Amino acid sequence: MQGWYRLVLVASAVAVAGCGISLPRPSTPKPTATAPPGSLYWDNFTNPKSGWPVTSTSAYSSAYVTGSAGSAYVIKVTGQTAVLAPAPNTGALPQSVRVVVDVTETGAGTDSHLGVDCDYGGTDYVLQVGGEGYFGLIKLSDGTLVGDLADSLALGPSQAVKDPPATNELSASCVSSDGSISLTLTVNGTTVASATDSDAQAATAKLVVKLRDEPGSQPSRALFSGFAIYKAG
């Protein structure tokens, strides 16, 4: 269980350091293919001009890639700061969404955390997974850690979460209702965590959905594919 405790502590330490680096958000997305039925937005990352930020610095980078496994969006982080990539500006999203995405850690690190960030006007809810069965529902307020709403340490590892370099399919629901935010994280078809947070300010704020790569003790190279946003609630 030592690895599990270390993973939870790493998540808390990185979150305390700040919400991370948020990449610029393009204003004019260009969808690449017909969206799945019922989706508000979808991207298979085959078109490098579909609107996701492409960056390159000594500490992090983001890009479209195509390989034997297909097309994906990749975030590479060599430092200790989380990097967030906002979805293209498709217009105002509803305040309640379900985000589906496949995540794969292909870098040297096995203790990085990959997932979805629901940003309600500076209040961030991060639904994420990592190695050794780690999962978390992390809340941050203006970049400062509030806590793990999933109480991951008490629940312990989930067998539904696959270790790197295997791919995990995430379904992350962020639902605003009656002055609160309800979160549900489903991994590979199994619901691993849910929580409700009473935060009236967040529940009325504009929502921006982001992809998040949070490195651990080693550099991270995260692949994101099959991205879709649905209305939830």
Side-chain angles (χ1 to χ4, degrees):
M1 293 291 288
Q2 288 183 348
W4 170 259
Y5 279 94
R6 182 170 59 83
L7 284 167
V8 174
L9 291 174
V10 167
S12 299
V14 173
V16 168
C19 193
I21 298 169
S22 188
L23 303 179
R25 188 186 192 196
S27 59
T28 308
K30 297 179 180 180
T32 58
T34 302
S39 64
L40 302 174
Y41 176 81
W42 176 70
D43 201 341
N44 61 5
F45 301 113
T46 57
N47 180 2
K49 296 183 179 180
S50 66
W52 292 83
V54 175
T55 60
S56 180
T57 75
S58 59
Y60 59 87
S61 64
S62 63
Y64 292 76
V65 295
T66 299
S68 58
S71 298
Y73 183 72
V74 60
I75 301 176
K76 295 174 63 177
V77 189
T78 57
Q80 294 296 308
T81 301
V83 172
L84 298 88
N89 186 0
T90 57
L93 290 173
Q95 290 178 307
S96 300
V97 298
R98 179 172 66 91
V99 182
V100 176
V101 65
D102 292 340
V103 301
T104 311
E105 174 56 77
T106 63
T110 59
D111 54 357
S112 58
H113 300 144
L114 314 179
V116 173
D117 185 315
C118 292
D119 180 355
Y120 287 93
T123 299
D124 293 79
Y125 296 94
V126 184
L127 299 85
Q128 61 185 11
V129 296
E132 298 189 22
Y134 167 76
F135 59 90
L137 304 178
I138 307 299
K139 179 181 180 181
L140 302 103
S141 179
D142 294 325
T144 300
L145 175 69
V146 176
D148 181 0
L149 304 180
D151 197 8
S152 304
L153 190 59
L155 292 176
S158 170
Q159 294 183 350
V161 181
K162 300 175 183 178
D163 283 341
T167 297
N168 286 292
E169 181 188 62
L170 307 188
S171 176
S173 294
C174 302
V175 177
S176 172
S177 178
D178 298 326
S180 64
I181 303 292
S182 295
L183 309 171
T184 303
L185 176 60
T186 300
V187 182
N188 300 317
T190 299
T191 298
V192 298
S194 60
T196 298
D197 181 49
S198 296
D199 191 322
Q201 182 174 350
T204 59
K206 180 180 178 180
L207 171 64
V208 176
V209 172
K210 304 175 182 179
L211 296 176
R212 184 180 178 97
D213 180 5
E214 190 173 282
S217 59
Q218 298 291 327
S220 173
R221 183 179 186 272
L223 294 181
F224 299 89
S225 58
F227 179 87
I229 302 176
Y230 299 85
K231 185 176 181 179

